[in-house]
Amino acid sequence: MKQNIYRSAALVTVFSTVEKALSFFYRIVLSRIIGAEGLGIYQICLSVFAVFLTAASSGIPVTVSRLMAKNGAKNDIKGKNAAVTAGVVATLMFTVPMAIILFFGRNLLGFLFTDDRCMNVFILLLPGLILTSIYAVMRGSFWGNKQFLPYSIIELLEDAVMVVLGCILVYGVTDPVAGAERAAVAVLVSYVFSFIVSLFWYFKKGGRFSNPKRQLKPLFSSSMPITAMRTSTSVLNSAVAILLPVLLMNAYGLTNSEAISLYGVAIGMSVPILFIPSALIGSISVVVAPELAENYYKNKTALVKFDIEKSVKAAIFIATLIIPVLFVLGDEIGSVLYSNEMSGEIIQNCAFILLPMCLAMITTTVLNSMNCEKKTLLYYIIGAALMIVSIVALTRFVGVYSYMIGLAASFVISAVFNLRLLAKKCEGIKFISYILRSIVVVIATCAFGMMLDGIISRYVATVWQMVICAPACLIFASAFLMCFEMFSFKPFKKLFKKA
């Protein structure tokens, strides 16, 4: 069973890594063709769209997956089909009326955006609200059936469709608004693709729609706290998209275009780099969540403890490897990828956010699999409130860094309270020592990387600095972790041997 987890996690991680690499490439293309202003408009529209998409379906895939695991433990096939049907019914109850209201009432919804140019871009995305919400339910069914390969392939192809079509559509565009509109069309087409393919696969593999009546109540009960938390995240991002440019204009006398460009640099360029680990954490979560839920419902305490410890340590391990690379090479990354010095400066200065971020993400998933959705929602709200306070109080002093400080504070709050709750829920789990040793490894690797970068920067070009320093930091950190007995090649050897 342990090797199945390793193999599934490796599979999802490989596909997810390729998918994120495509998204990275696409964001670089957008930043260079439509510029920071166009990217800012595009990002603002996606942030507002994400609010409605998250409200419609964010908690449903996880809950569908858990209900399928619960019914699977009882060999109840009808119950599994009913859970999927309940998810589809629930998301359609929200998305269809909401899409109609947003489309016909768009002239009254200008307050959603600080820039009037955003509305047309947003309307282009609206049909995707219904389609991708249904796909989200199908995604949950794949998780519940542990069909990680088709899930991974569809996710990758969805992103590939968006990237390829988006590059074709924005090529040669000089107007930032037109570029944002064409990028939105590419997003919509990718939603259509994943909707069609996921439904085809679901029915091909024997999935059916059945009476959802007995699954609706547990679905709403479990999904509402998760949806509330993730919707709050989207609302928070939209609030930042509105609030931060206004505060920047008031504090520094910037024009609307200048403020949106600065927002685009921070949120559209730097933050995606800092969120690289989220793809890897997401891969672990996808695999572990249904397994953990099934073991939890079967009262297999030892396996639950194993799942928790391995998940938390894996998240810490990922942060430990990536933090030094971003800290040492932040400037070079911003210069090479975006030709923007400020984006690199933000990446370097905020690299240490990754540790609390990874811990907050994985522990939230683990606790949600153990019916602690209300607790994680409360912790998130506390962190979100700190973020808003940070933006309002600090923007005049530190500019866009007020958002980064608030982001760090929110992750720290969630991570600390989540770990505390996990220690109470599952006595005997060990992770404090692992965290402390990881911090030592990060500090040592950052020092090593800075010295190496300082030496070779005199002799080689920027690209070669990255080519040399990134692997060197990874090797140094891995060796240090092995010395602390925090890392071993044994799982990988067993995985490849079995494969």
Side-chain angles (χ1 to χ4, degrees), residues 256-287:
N256 185 52
S257 293
E258 289 171 337
I260 289 179
S261 296
L262 197 55
Y263 171 86
V265 169
I267 312 300
M269 297 180 185
S270 303
V271 169
I273 299 286
L274 292 171
F275 270 67
I276 285 175
S278 66
L280 303 174
I281 301 298
S283 301
I284 297 170
S285 300
V286 164
V287 175

Side-chain angles (χ1 to χ4, degrees), residues 312 359 363 414-424 431 435:
V312 172
L359 283 172
T363 52
S414 292
V416 169
F417 282 107
N418 284 352
L419 289 171
R420 182 170 171 267
L421 181 58
L422 270 178
K424 289 182 178 179
F431 47 75
I435 293 174

Side-chain angles (χ1 to χ4, degrees), residues 1-3 31 51 54 61 68 83 109 111 125 127 169 213 221 223 228 267 272 274 342 344 405 446 453 460:
M1 186 209 71
K2 294 179 182 180
Q3 293 310 311
S31 69
V51 173
T54 305
M68 292 184 73
L109 298 173
F111 65 90
L125 294 169
L169 291 176
K213 186 176 180 180
S221 177
S223 66
I267 312 300
L274 292 171
M342 186 174 184
I405 293 170
C446 286
D453 187 51
V460 299

